[in-house]
Amino acid sequence: MADEAKLEKIRHSMAHVMAEAVLEIFPDAQIAIGPAIDNGFYYDFDLPRSLSEQDLEDITERMKAIIKSNKEFKRSVVTRDEAKEMFKDQKYKLELIDAIEEGSEISIYNQGGFTDLCRGPHVESTKELNPEAFKLLSVAGAYWRGKETNPMLQRIYGTAWLTPKDLRLYLDHLADIEKRDHRKLGKELDLFSLHEEAGPGLVYWHPRGARIRQAIENFWREEHYKNGYEMIYTPHVGKSWLWETSGHLGFYKESMYPKMEMDNMDYYVKPMNCPFHIMIYQNSKKSYRDLPCRWAELGTVYRYEKAGALHGLMRVRGFTQDDAHIFCTPDQMDAEIMEVLRFSLYMLHSFGFNDIHAYISTKPEKSVGEQEKWDAATEALKRAVEKEGISYDVDEGGGAFYGPKIDLKIKDAIGREWQLSTVQFDFNLPERFKLTFVDKDGTEKRPYMIHRALLGSIERFFGVLIEHYAGAFPPWLSPDQVAVIPVAESANDYACELERKLRQDGFRAKSDLSNDRMNAKIRKAQQMKIPYMLIIGDKEKENGTVSVRYRNGKQDNGLSYEAFASALKAKIDSKEQL
RNA sequence: GCCCUUGUAGCUCAGUCGGUAGAGCACCACCAUGGUAAGGUGGGGGUCGCCGGUUCGAAUCCGGCCGAGGGCUCCA
């Protein structure tokens, strides 16, 4: 942990060194802020022209020279007026000085030719910075103080470490991230595509991607049924009164696709499934005996995300939520929450996510629903996480206005966090739609309503899966589980026979009868990350056996078909990685 | 939405000072029948994102639009 503090000092000091280098090149540059961040640092500048890659090299060289000149970082305290005088040509600094609270100390740091308004801390001297352990990564636009109405500055991002080896490791990590990029793998493995000409942010699932989706959805449906849910299907558009009642037109209109007019009525494409599920609830009078109702739907919704926010499968405009709504009595709430959380964890584990952290968000300032309800619901959430023994953080006041929630974030194979599951109480919709149930005593009462999605959206979940497995899916999810590769044409008929048998036994198999040589076929199957290859020639044909080549290069020769099929089935059933 | 970068064949990318396009892979055909990561030869395929401007002439220069990538929440 001492290293963490040291690193922060190093990174923050690097930012100052970078500012000095930039000022050498652009003496009139306006400098803004330059903090240490995760893995590195940045500094924002207002410059007369845009920076290029070439500039980054230039700046890097100057930074190295500054570091090698062994400048001390000297801290001093100045008065407000002194500070204003020192930075009289730096309008952003003046703004910062004005923002400093009356009575608090104003400190400056100086290293050689550069002085910055700064609360520190810094290293003692540039001697402590390793000129071979940092790298400038990119230039990006950033608003002054992050506000859209402010001028756009140029931000230079850099990364800095204690040693060149640490830098190397970090750059390798970045390269790994790039290799796993689901957009790249989606193309290479022929899983999905997006088509600007047909509408940005809308996903096309190719056959190989669709097979994975079906494996996910089949599993999802089976498990939901086993766990007491009913499947429902609801429309994709609804009249405006639905969205007025739900409040979406009031709070959410910006993100909805615009209205369609028909028969003097306005229709909207759904951005959420909830109001439709409520329609079903209201279709008949509900008794406490009918509750809980657990209704699940793979519901496709459309939201008009800002153009700049779209990102592959991770942020799209049309997506399918693995949605469910639970309507229950107040008495049932505790048990339902426990169950939802247990079920979520089971689902996430099944997909190979075992590092899970929970975030509970509580009542914000502006909210609906009585305090007691919020407290009861929030307590139920806490009890549930504690019972499951997963670590959690509480985001006080971070809930939606309509109820507290719990989000589950998983860590993927290379340690990145992704939010998947969410369980949210809703004190708003039951009120707005005047939902009721008749209780034991014959009086009408308001049911609790819980929204939950375990995978989040199928599209985004797919993106996370691709990156988690780097495209090498475990057999139960692999689009092609088995590639049958004949050594020469004489084994083609045997290959076809094997393919037919495998498919009939429920496996996803395909034989490669192309003109290529066996070596090329193996290469292709390997590149498509198919877990099992059956290499068959005259030998196997004669003996009725198969030779198995695994994705990892290992090999099992001369197995009987039955032996292979049962081993494969066991692997698929276990959902294990190969 | 805003800033920077970017948009050439299905994919990955070349294309120098403006003179109406190239490679590899993929695809198709033929030859080769090959035991664990690319066999050979030949062929087809692009109004260079879209619209407009400058020019004798634009993939190349200029403007606008559309899309994609990075960033815009780490705070003197």
Side-chain angles (χ1 to χ4, degrees):
Chain A
M1 279 304 99
D3 275 1
E4 282 302 310
K6 177 101 196 272
L7 269 172
E8 192 176 330
K9 280 190 198 174
I10 286 177
R11 288 167 181 161
H12 194 170
S13 303
M14 279 288 183
H16 281 219
V17 170
M18 179 165 76
E20 179 174 358
V22 169
L23 281 171
E24 283 179 11
I25 304 172
F26 302 99
D28 298 328
Q30 292 286 316
I31 58 176
I33 56 171
I37 57 174
D38 288 348
N39 304 320
F41 58 92
Y42 70 76
Y43 212 111
D44 288 345
F45 304 96
D46 196 343
L47 302 173
R49 65 169 173 85
S50 317
L51 294 170
S52 65
E53 290 294 314
Q54 182 58 47
D55 291 314
L56 289 191
E57 283 172 34
D58 193 6
I59 295 166
T60 302
E61 287 315 308
R62 286 168 188 270
M63 286 175 69
K64 287 183 180 175
I66 294 167
I67 290 169
K68 285 175 187 157
S69 67
N70 290 339
K71 293 284 167 24
E72 251 181 84
F73 277 88
K74 280 179 266 182
R75 179 177 192 274
S76 34
V77 175
V78 295
T79 65
R80 189 171 296 263
D81 290 339
E82 283 167 345
K84 283 193 172 180
E85 175 58 24
M86 292 178 88
F87 295 102
K88 63 176 188 296
D89 297 326
Q90 289 290 345
K91 60 179 175 178
Y92 299 108
K93 293 294 176 192
L94 289 175
E95 229 181 292
L96 292 172
I97 292 166
D98 283 334
I100 295 173
E101 271 179 50
E102 209 55 54
S104 58
E105 204 171 66
I106 298 179
S107 60
I108 57 169
Y109 276 83
N110 166 276
Q111 92 268 8
F114 177 71
T115 303
D116 201 358
L117 178 73
C118 181
R119 89 172 116 205
H122 283 281
V123 293
E124 298 287 316
S125 149
T126 59
K127 231 187 286 185
E128 294 175 53
L129 305 178
N130 188 326
E132 302 306 326
F134 82 95
K135 184 171 163 64
L136 301 187
L137 297 175
S138 60
V139 185
Y143 296 105
W144 166 235
R145 311 220 107 189
K147 273 176 70 179
E148 279 186 47
T149 47
N150 284 342
M152 178 70 71
L153 306 172
Q154 294 191 67
R155 173 172 299 179
I156 304 177
Y157 280 99
T159 185
W161 300 85
L162 285 171
T163 63
K165 187 176 164 235
D166 289 348
L167 172 65
R168 185 76 257 146
L169 286 175
Y170 179 66
L171 293 178
D172 286 348
H173 180 244
L174 291 184
D176 193 13
I177 288 175
E178 215 175 303
K179 251 186 261 152
R180 288 168 180 266
D181 193 316
H182 72 281
R183 293 164 301 182
K184 188 167 163 284
L185 287 170
K187 243 181 226 172
E188 288 171 6
L189 302 178
D190 196 16
L191 300 175
F192 70 90
S193 56
L194 296 152
H195 300 270
E196 46 162 302
E197 71 275 26
L202 303 172
V203 180
Y204 292 73
W205 295 72
H206 297 196
R208 288 174 52 83
R211 275 182 241 148
I212 298 176
R213 177 165 173 169
Q214 272 186 37
I216 296 171
E217 290 189 354
N218 290 344
F219 173 66
W220 187 91
R221 289 200 178 91
E222 274 169 33
E223 291 302 324
H224 275 72
Y225 196 71
K226 281 188 205 163
N227 283 277
Y229 287 80
E230 293 294 338
M231 295 297 138
I232 59 176
Y233 295 91
T234 62
H236 286 192
V237 296
K239 281 190 194 172
S240 55
W241 80 261
L242 205 56
W243 309 110
E244 275 153 17
T245 309
S246 72
H248 285 101
L249 278 178
F251 296 110
Y252 205 72
K253 194 167 183 187
E254 293 300 290
S255 300
M256 290 173 69
Y257 274 81
K259 68 182 176 197
M260 294 173 276
E261 259 187 70
M262 237 175 86
D263 300 336
N264 293 321
M265 292 292 197
D266 295 341
Y267 285 81
Y268 288 88
V269 174
K270 68 175 170 185
M272 285 183 171
N273 302 302
C274 338
F276 294 93
H277 289 201
I278 286 174
M279 287 297 100
I280 297 180
Y281 183 91
Q282 285 182 318
N283 188 57
S284 64
K285 190 110 176 159
K286 292 288 180 295
S287 148
Y288 72 96
R289 295 171 191 275
D290 297 318
L291 304 182
C293 291
R294 305 187 195 97
W295 292 337
E297 176 179 19
L298 291 164
T300 303
V301 298
Y302 292 86
R303 298 180 185 177
Y304 201 81
E305 297 290 347
K306 287 198 274 184
L310 297 178
H311 179 83
L313 294 175
M314 301 301 187
R315 197 83 186 244
V316 293
R317 285 183 177 159
F319 57 98
T320 303
Q321 292 180 304
D322 71 313
D323 210 357
H325 294 93
I326 298 171
F327 302 91
C328 66
T329 68
D331 291 348
Q332 293 166 335
M333 173 189 74
D334 234 26
E336 289 302 313
I337 288 294
M338 296 272 181
E339 192 47 30
V340 167
L341 189 68
R342 190 201 57 76
F343 187 30
S344 296
L345 294 172
Y346 167 72
M347 290 293 278
L348 297 177
H349 291 322
S350 299
F351 285 97
F353 299 118
N354 295 306
D355 194 339
I356 299 168
H357 190 76
Y359 295 82
I360 294 176
S361 303
T362 65
K363 193 165 178 285
E365 300 233 328
K366 255 185 75 183
S367 63
V368 300
E370 303 94 63
Q371 185 66 41
E372 308 87 72
K373 274 191 171 179
W374 276 86
D375 291 345
T378 308
E379 282 314 307
L381 290 175
K382 283 186 187 164
R383 273 196 299 279
V385 242
E386 275 159 18
K387 178 165 178 245
E388 289 298 329
I390 52 176
S391 59
Y392 71 98
D393 287 317
V394 177
D395 180 5
E396 293 293 347
F401 75 91
Y402 51 79
K405 66 169 179 174
I406 179 164
D407 293 325
L408 298 183
K409 289 192 188 176
I410 58 95
K411 264 196 190 152
D412 71 7
I414 56 171
R416 291 172 301 174
E417 272 204 331
W418 303 96
Q419 194 215 305
L420 299 176
S421 310
T422 181
V423 182
Q424 308 195 1
F425 276 88
D426 192 328
F427 300 134
N428 183 43
L429 290 182
E431 208 60 49
R432 282 174 166 267
F433 281 93
K434 306 210 182 324
L435 300 187
T436 60
F437 70 95
V438 179
D439 207 353
K440 288 176 193 163
D441 60 8
T443 62
E444 291 206 332
K445 291 184 180 157
R446 216 39 108 222
Y448 272 78
M449 180 177 180
I450 300 164
H451 309 261
R452 45 112 283 190
L454 306 188
L455 312 179
S457 97
I458 302 287
E459 285 75 6
R460 187 181 139 84
F461 184 70
F462 187 33
V464 174
L465 274 184
I466 295 171
E467 303 210 354
H468 178 61
Y469 288 116
F473 298 100
W476 80 281
L477 289 171
S478 283
D480 292 306
Q481 291 162 328
V482 186
V484 184
I485 297 177
V487 172
E489 254 173 51
S490 58
N492 277 7
D493 53 346
Y494 185 45
C496 290
E497 187 191 326
L498 281 172
E499 178 188 310
R500 201 174 319 118
K501 238 179 178 171
L502 284 162
R503 287 194 181 215
Q504 266 166 13
D505 288 345
F507 303 118
R508 297 189 285 272
K510 144 185 115 170
S511 52
D512 185 346
L513 305 183
S514 66
N515 247 346
D516 292 313
R517 283 173 11 123
M518 178 203 62
N519 303 278
K521 293 180 187 182
I522 290 176
R523 181 164 192 267
K524 271 198 287 186
Q526 198 73 45
Q527 283 177 330
M528 294 311 268
K529 308 189 191 232
I530 299 173
Y532 301 90
M533 284 169 240
L534 297 186
I535 316 287
I536 51 155
D538 293 337
K539 267 188 284 178
E540 287 79 5
K541 184 176 169 182
E542 220 166 280
N543 305 325
T545 56
V546 297
S547 290
V548 188
R549 182 195 157 102
Y550 302 94
R551 184 165 58 195
N552 58 17
K554 289 196 183 128
Q555 182 94 11
D556 267 328
N557 290 337
L559 295 186
S560 70
Y561 172 81
E562 289 71 27
F564 170 69
S566 67
L568 175 54
K569 183 163 190 315
K571 199 57 153 179
I572 290 171
D573 289 345
S574 74
K575 299 197 165 50
E576 279 170 40
Q577 179 59 291
L578 184 61

PDB file of all heavy atoms in Angstrom, chain A residues 196-207:
ATOM      1  N   GLU A 196     -24.604   0.704 -39.926  1.00  0.00           N
ATOM      2  CA  GLU A 196     -24.922   2.119 -39.837  1.00  0.00           C
ATOM      3  C   GLU A 196     -26.047   2.502 -40.792  1.00  0.00           C
ATOM      4  O   GLU A 196     -26.920   3.280 -40.428  1.00  0.00           O
ATOM      5  CB  GLU A 196     -23.685   2.969 -40.129  1.00  0.00           C
ATOM      6  CG  GLU A 196     -22.915   2.494 -41.345  1.00  0.00           C
ATOM      7  CD  GLU A 196     -21.962   3.543 -41.903  1.00  0.00           C
ATOM      8  OE1 GLU A 196     -22.464   4.624 -42.250  1.00  0.00           O
ATOM      9  OE2 GLU A 196     -20.769   3.261 -42.005  1.00  0.00           O
ATOM     10  N   GLU A 197     -26.007   1.922 -42.001  1.00  0.00           N
ATOM     11  CA  GLU A 197     -26.998   2.313 -42.987  1.00  0.00           C
ATOM     12  C   GLU A 197     -28.400   1.849 -42.592  1.00  0.00           C
ATOM     13  O   GLU A 197     -29.394   2.348 -43.091  1.00  0.00           O
ATOM     14  CB  GLU A 197     -26.610   1.815 -44.381  1.00  0.00           C
ATOM     15  CG  GLU A 197     -26.716   0.316 -44.615  1.00  0.00           C
ATOM     16  CD  GLU A 197     -25.481  -0.462 -44.160  1.00  0.00           C
ATOM     17  OE1 GLU A 197     -24.766   0.017 -43.249  1.00  0.00           O
ATOM     18  OE2 GLU A 197     -25.247  -1.558 -44.707  1.00  0.00           O
ATOM     19  N   ALA A 198     -28.465   0.870 -41.711  1.00  0.00           N
ATOM     20  CA  ALA A 198     -29.768   0.354 -41.305  1.00  0.00           C
ATOM     21  C   ALA A 198     -30.175   0.866 -39.929  1.00  0.00           C
ATOM     22  O   ALA A 198     -31.268   0.577 -39.460  1.00  0.00           O
ATOM     23  CB  ALA A 198     -29.751  -1.176 -41.325  1.00  0.00           C
ATOM     24  N   GLY A 199     -29.288   1.622 -39.288  1.00  0.00           N
ATOM     25  CA  GLY A 199     -29.608   2.178 -37.975  1.00  0.00           C
ATOM     26  C   GLY A 199     -28.507   1.872 -36.982  1.00  0.00           C
ATOM     27  O   GLY A 199     -28.278   0.707 -36.667  1.00  0.00           O
ATOM     28  N   PRO A 200     -27.826   2.901 -36.493  1.00  0.00           N
ATOM     29  CA  PRO A 200     -26.754   2.686 -35.527  1.00  0.00           C
ATOM     30  C   PRO A 200     -27.282   2.139 -34.205  1.00  0.00           C
ATOM     31  O   PRO A 200     -28.406   2.452 -33.812  1.00  0.00           O
ATOM     32  CB  PRO A 200     -26.160   4.079 -35.308  1.00  0.00           C
ATOM     33  CG  PRO A 200     -26.929   5.023 -36.150  1.00  0.00           C
ATOM     34  CD  PRO A 200     -28.017   4.301 -36.849  1.00  0.00           C
ATOM     35  N   GLY A 201     -26.484   1.319 -33.574  1.00  0.00           N
ATOM     36  CA  GLY A 201     -26.855   0.821 -32.259  1.00  0.00           C
ATOM     37  C   GLY A 201     -27.868  -0.315 -32.281  1.00  0.00           C
ATOM     38  O   GLY A 201     -28.421  -0.661 -31.253  1.00  0.00           O
ATOM     39  N   LEU A 202     -28.116  -0.876 -33.470  1.00  0.00           N
ATOM     40  CA  LEU A 202     -29.068  -1.984 -33.576  1.00  0.00           C
ATOM     41  C   LEU A 202     -28.284  -3.232 -34.006  1.00  0.00           C
ATOM     42  O   LEU A 202     -27.516  -3.194 -34.956  1.00  0.00           O
ATOM     43  CB  LEU A 202     -30.163  -1.650 -34.600  1.00  0.00           C
ATOM     44  CG  LEU A 202     -30.914  -0.343 -34.269  1.00  0.00           C
ATOM     45  CD1 LEU A 202     -31.849   0.046 -35.393  1.00  0.00           C
ATOM     46  CD2 LEU A 202     -31.695  -0.496 -32.965  1.00  0.00           C
ATOM     47  N   VAL A 203     -28.481  -4.296 -33.286  1.00  0.00           N
ATOM     48  CA  VAL A 203     -27.610  -5.465 -33.408  1.00  0.00           C
ATOM     49  C   VAL A 203     -28.200  -6.545 -34.313  1.00  0.00           C
ATOM     50  O   VAL A 203     -29.385  -6.865 -34.216  1.00  0.00           O
ATOM     51  CB  VAL A 203     -27.353  -6.082 -32.021  1.00  0.00           C
ATOM     52  CG1 VAL A 203     -26.440  -7.294 -32.133  1.00  0.00           C
ATOM     53  CG2 VAL A 203     -26.750  -5.046 -31.089  1.00  0.00           C
ATOM     54  N   TYR A 204     -27.350  -7.094 -35.175  1.00  0.00           N
ATOM     55  CA  TYR A 204     -27.721  -8.232 -36.025  1.00  0.00           C
ATOM     56  C   TYR A 204     -26.965  -9.449 -35.532  1.00  0.00           C
ATOM     57  O   TYR A 204     -25.734  -9.446 -35.496  1.00  0.00           O
ATOM     58  CB  TYR A 204     -27.350  -7.947 -37.487  1.00  0.00           C
ATOM     59  CG  TYR A 204     -28.195  -6.851 -38.084  1.00  0.00           C
ATOM     60  CD1 TYR A 204     -27.997  -5.524 -37.713  1.00  0.00           C
ATOM     61  CD2 TYR A 204     -29.206  -7.142 -38.991  1.00  0.00           C
ATOM     62  CE1 TYR A 204     -28.788  -4.516 -38.225  1.00  0.00           C
ATOM     63  CE2 TYR A 204     -29.999  -6.137 -39.511  1.00  0.00           C
ATOM     64  CZ  TYR A 204     -29.789  -4.823 -39.124  1.00  0.00           C
ATOM     65  OH  TYR A 204     -30.579  -3.830 -39.635  1.00  0.00           O
ATOM     66  N   TRP A 205     -27.695 -10.446 -35.129  1.00  0.00           N
ATOM     67  CA  TRP A 205     -27.085 -11.677 -34.616  1.00  0.00           C
ATOM     68  C   TRP A 205     -26.904 -12.643 -35.774  1.00  0.00           C
ATOM     69  O   TRP A 205     -27.884 -13.072 -36.382  1.00  0.00           O
ATOM     70  CB  TRP A 205     -27.981 -12.324 -33.565  1.00  0.00           C
ATOM     71  CG  TRP A 205     -28.174 -11.515 -32.323  1.00  0.00           C
ATOM     72  CD1 TRP A 205     -28.915 -10.367 -32.200  1.00  0.00           C
ATOM     73  CD2 TRP A 205     -27.612 -11.778 -31.035  1.00  0.00           C
ATOM     74  NE1 TRP A 205     -28.848  -9.917 -30.894  1.00  0.00           N
ATOM     75  CE2 TRP A 205     -28.060 -10.766 -30.163  1.00  0.00           C
ATOM     76  CE3 TRP A 205     -26.782 -12.789 -30.523  1.00  0.00           C
ATOM     77  CZ2 TRP A 205     -27.712 -10.721 -28.811  1.00  0.00           C
ATOM     78  CZ3 TRP A 205     -26.438 -12.749 -29.179  1.00  0.00           C
ATOM     79  CH2 TRP A 205     -26.899 -11.722 -28.340  1.00  0.00           C
ATOM     80  N   HIS A 206     -25.674 -13.007 -36.077  1.00  0.00           N
ATOM     81  CA  HIS A 206     -25.398 -13.966 -37.148  1.00  0.00           C
ATOM     82  C   HIS A 206     -25.674 -15.381 -36.628  1.00  0.00           C
ATOM     83  O   HIS A 206     -25.806 -15.567 -35.410  1.00  0.00           O
ATOM     84  CB  HIS A 206     -23.944 -13.847 -37.592  1.00  0.00           C
ATOM     85  CG  HIS A 206     -23.622 -12.506 -38.188  1.00  0.00           C
ATOM     86  ND1 HIS A 206     -22.493 -12.264 -38.928  1.00  0.00           N
ATOM     87  CD2 HIS A 206     -24.288 -11.319 -38.158  1.00  0.00           C
ATOM     88  CE1 HIS A 206     -22.484 -10.998 -39.325  1.00  0.00           C
ATOM     89  NE2 HIS A 206     -23.558 -10.407 -38.863  1.00  0.00           N
ATOM     90  N   PRO A 207     -25.735 -16.366 -37.534  1.00  0.00           N
ATOM     91  CA  PRO A 207     -26.036 -17.728 -37.074  1.00  0.00           C
ATOM     92  C   PRO A 207     -25.157 -18.180 -35.910  1.00  0.00           C
ATOM     93  O   PRO A 207     -25.657 -18.747 -34.941  1.00  0.00           O
ATOM     94  CB  PRO A 207     -25.772 -18.581 -38.321  1.00  0.00           C
ATOM     95  CG  PRO A 207     -26.106 -17.664 -39.448  1.00  0.00           C
ATOM     96  CD  PRO A 207     -25.648 -16.300 -38.996  1.00  0.00           C
TER      97      PRO A 207
END
